[in-house]
Amino acid sequence: MGSVVIPIPDGDQGFTHDLKQEKKFRVSLSPVISYVQKNRDTIRKAIHAIKVGIALVLVSLVYFVDTLYDEVGDDNAMWAIMTVVVIFEFYAGATLSKGLSRGIGTVLGGGLGYLAAVLGQQVGGIGNPFVVGVSVFIFGGAATYARLNPNIKKRYDYGVMIFILTFNLVSVSGLREENVIEIARERLVMIVLGFAICICISLFVFPMWASDELHDSMVSKFEGLASTIEGCIEEYFRVVNEKENQSVQPTASFRDCISVLNSKAKDESLVYFAKWEPWHGRFGLSHPWDKYQKIGEVLRELAAIILSLKGSLNSPEKPLQALRESIKEPCEAAGSSLAWTLRELGESIMKMRRCEPGAFMVPKLKLVRQELSQVMCPFKLGKLDNAEGFAVASFVFTLMGVVEKLEDLSKEVEELGELAGFLQG
């Protein structure tokens, strides 16, 4: 029988070819991934603008379709467009909270305005404008006074403003129009239509979650503070010749500390918006967002302490190099432990796993504090009756303050893991 030789490609060659193709594919995607990472905020803003444009087109169908336009009329159709323009926010939680506030304010204002208009029509004659005017004065003044309350202004200011607007429009319309209830109904339907379009697009078309933004920004703060501590330790113990003082650039940057200190208003807004958002991804309906706010407060206190190290770096009284060398090893070890602890806590929040700081982090921080306390003994620093000794003591005391505040931070993160149900690390 004749034999047929079937060429079989070498396995290694085929595998190498696959690796080359895979490598080529990865290389081709790397510029795209790099561009997206560098321009993430710009891309998100562009997506939000496109979403608002889609919402405006959809709500404008009330004008485009003759049947709908004849049904609701020009005066009522504009309320749907106004609703989209006013309540569509960047984050889904912000859109939902603002939309519900507008809906509640519209219903309450429209209902009370309708009652005031009906009461004025029942009185009739000169009493009609009198009743409406008194009602506008009472409800408008009371609602305006409520807006001056800090708690109400912070959370419900938009809803109260819509209540005042709707109440006045509906009640005053009763002076000239007989079918007040029909006007209120049609306007409410248009507002609900605009609200529904905004919510559907905001939640289902590339949603921007305030909870994700809060989570990621909180993690980045840990990394930023850790890098700042490392930079401070490195710059403080760096040996620099007098001739090189002008050319050497400082290694410590305090921009992250300043950013953390200025993050209070943004964190409060993100926490409030995150509470309105539905279940999505890793975050359930009962996620402890208030704990993020508490952690943010401790991080700001920690950033303030780290920022005070800048005074030691820029102090005109520079300690002698020999005096610095005597505390260099324990201080560098302390700085390394502090940076590691911050990164570990940030990773715990990022991966939503419990690192159990009470089991090994807090004891380690206490050990670091004890080592720094030993540095402060007169044997190490010599007599503290000179400027050099006071400068070193100030630097070490500030590091001890960082350790104490980091102990509080580790406890807060541990409580967050318990409340949020983080997995065991």
Side-chain angles (χ1 to χ4, degrees):
M1 295 178 63
S3 60
V4 179
V5 178
I6 302 176
I8 301 176
D10 184 65
D12 293 338
Q13 292 179 356
F15 182 71
T16 305
H17 179 72
D18 293 340
L19 284 179
K20 290 181 179 179
Q21 291 293 336
E22 183 179 357
K23 183 177 180 181
K24 182 178 179 181
F25 180 71
R26 289 181 179 176
V27 171
S28 63
L29 285 182
S30 59
V32 178
I33 297 175
S34 177
Y35 177 82
V36 171
Q37 291 176 346
K38 292 181 180 179
N39 301 274
R40 179 172 177 267
D41 291 338
T42 303
I43 294 175
R44 295 175 69 195
K45 291 177 182 178
I47 292 175
H48 174 68
I50 294 173
K51 290 164 61 176
V52 173
I54 294 174
L56 289 174
V57 170
L58 292 178
V59 79
S60 298
L61 291 177
V62 177
Y63 282 93
F64 298 158
V65 180
D66 294 337
T67 305
L68 294 176
Y69 181 78
D70 295 337
E71 181 68 23
V72 298
D74 182 71
D75 293 338
N76 295 321
M78 69 176 181
W79 285 88
I81 298 178
M82 290 174 57
T83 300
V84 172
V85 173
V86 171
I87 75 171
F88 207 132
E89 297 288 342
F90 186 81
Y91 298 110
T95 302
L96 187 59
S97 64
K98 205 168 185 179
L100 290 178
S101 296
R102 182 179 179 86
I104 294 173
T106 300
V107 172
L108 291 179
L112 292 176
Y114 171 72
L115 293 178
V118 171
L119 181 60
Q121 291 176 357
Q122 292 295 326
V123 174
I126 192 65
N128 188 0
F130 177 79
V131 171
V132 173
V134 171
S135 301
V136 169
F137 174 79
I138 294 175
F139 285 99
T144 302
Y145 181 81
R147 290 183 66 190
L148 299 178
N149 186 295
N151 294 328
I152 294 179
K153 187 174 185 63
K154 182 178 179 181
R155 298 180 180 272
Y156 309 110
D157 182 68
Y158 179 71
V160 176
M161 182 181 65
I162 293 299
F163 167 82
I164 298 173
L165 176 64
T166 307
F167 178 83
N168 280 266
L169 289 176
V170 174
S171 61
V172 173
S173 298
L175 296 175
R176 301 294 181 181
E177 299 288 343
E178 296 295 334
N179 55 342
V180 181
I181 186 65
E182 184 67 20
I183 296 175
R185 184 188 66 82
E186 291 178 353
R187 291 182 179 178
L188 179 61
V189 170
M190 290 295 98
I191 292 174
V192 171
L193 175 63
F195 171 73
I197 291 175
C198 289
I199 293 301
C200 290
I201 294 178
S202 181
L203 295 181
F204 301 110
V205 180
F206 295 102
M208 308 293 183
W209 303 111
S211 51
D212 290 341
E213 181 73 17
L214 176 63
H215 190 81
D216 295 340
S217 65
M218 190 65 63
V219 172
S220 65
K221 291 175 185 176
F222 283 87
E223 175 61 31
L225 294 181
S227 300
T228 302
I229 292 177
E230 290 177 337
C232 288
I233 298 295
E234 180 182 352
E235 183 172 345
Y236 190 77
F237 294 104
R238 183 176 57 186
V239 178
V240 181
N241 297 326
E242 293 183 0
K243 297 181 180 179
E244 297 177 349
N245 283 337
Q246 301 296 331
S247 59
V248 175
Q249 297 295 329
T251 58
S253 175
F254 294 91
R255 288 179 298 178
D256 291 320
C257 288
I258 297 175
S259 177
V260 172
L261 289 173
N262 295 331
S263 64
K264 181 178 180 180
K266 181 180 179 181
D267 288 350
E268 290 179 351
S269 298
L270 291 177
V271 168
Y272 177 70
F273 297 149
K275 292 179 180 179
W276 284 91
E277 292 177 351
W279 176 87
H280 65 280
R282 301 174 294 174
F283 307 115
L285 296 176
S286 60
H287 198 75
W289 296 115
D290 289 330
K291 202 63 181 177
Y292 281 75
Q293 193 168 348
K294 178 62 177 177
I295 292 175
E297 293 176 0
V298 180
L299 282 172
R300 283 187 287 274
E301 295 174 359
L302 178 61
I305 298 175
I306 297 175
L307 191 61
S308 64
L309 290 172
K310 188 176 183 180
S312 299
L313 299 179
N314 300 331
S315 175
E317 299 294 342
K318 299 295 183 182
L320 298 176
Q321 191 62 38
L323 191 56
R324 289 196 195 189
E325 291 295 333
S326 65
I327 65 169
K328 179 179 180 180
E329 184 176 350
C331 287
E332 287 184 340
S336 178
S337 297
L338 295 175
W340 174 84
T341 303
L342 278 169
R343 290 193 173 97
E344 190 69 18
L345 293 174
E347 186 178 359
S348 171
I349 297 178
M350 179 182 65
K351 296 183 178 180
M352 300 186 72
R353 62 169 180 80
R354 297 181 62 180
C355 58
E356 297 183 0
F360 62 94
M361 282 190 180
V362 174
K364 185 175 182 178
L365 291 174
K366 291 182 178 179
L367 181 61
V368 171
R369 186 168 56 179
Q370 292 176 1
E371 293 176 352
L372 291 175
S373 300
Q374 294 176 0
V375 171
M376 295 300 299
C377 68
F379 177 76
K380 288 284 186 180
L381 295 181
K383 296 181 179 180
L384 291 177
D385 57 355
N386 53 63
E388 290 81 5
F390 280 119
V392 173
S394 175
F395 183 79
V396 177
F397 270 125
T398 304
L399 283 181
M400 292 176 65
V402 174
V403 174
E404 293 177 0
K405 187 56 62 176
L406 200 50
E407 291 178 4
D408 297 336
L409 182 61
S410 63
K411 294 177 182 178
E412 294 293 339
V413 174
E414 185 177 13
E415 292 179 5
L416 173 64
E418 294 176 357
L419 295 175
F422 286 1
L423 300 176
Q424 294 292 337

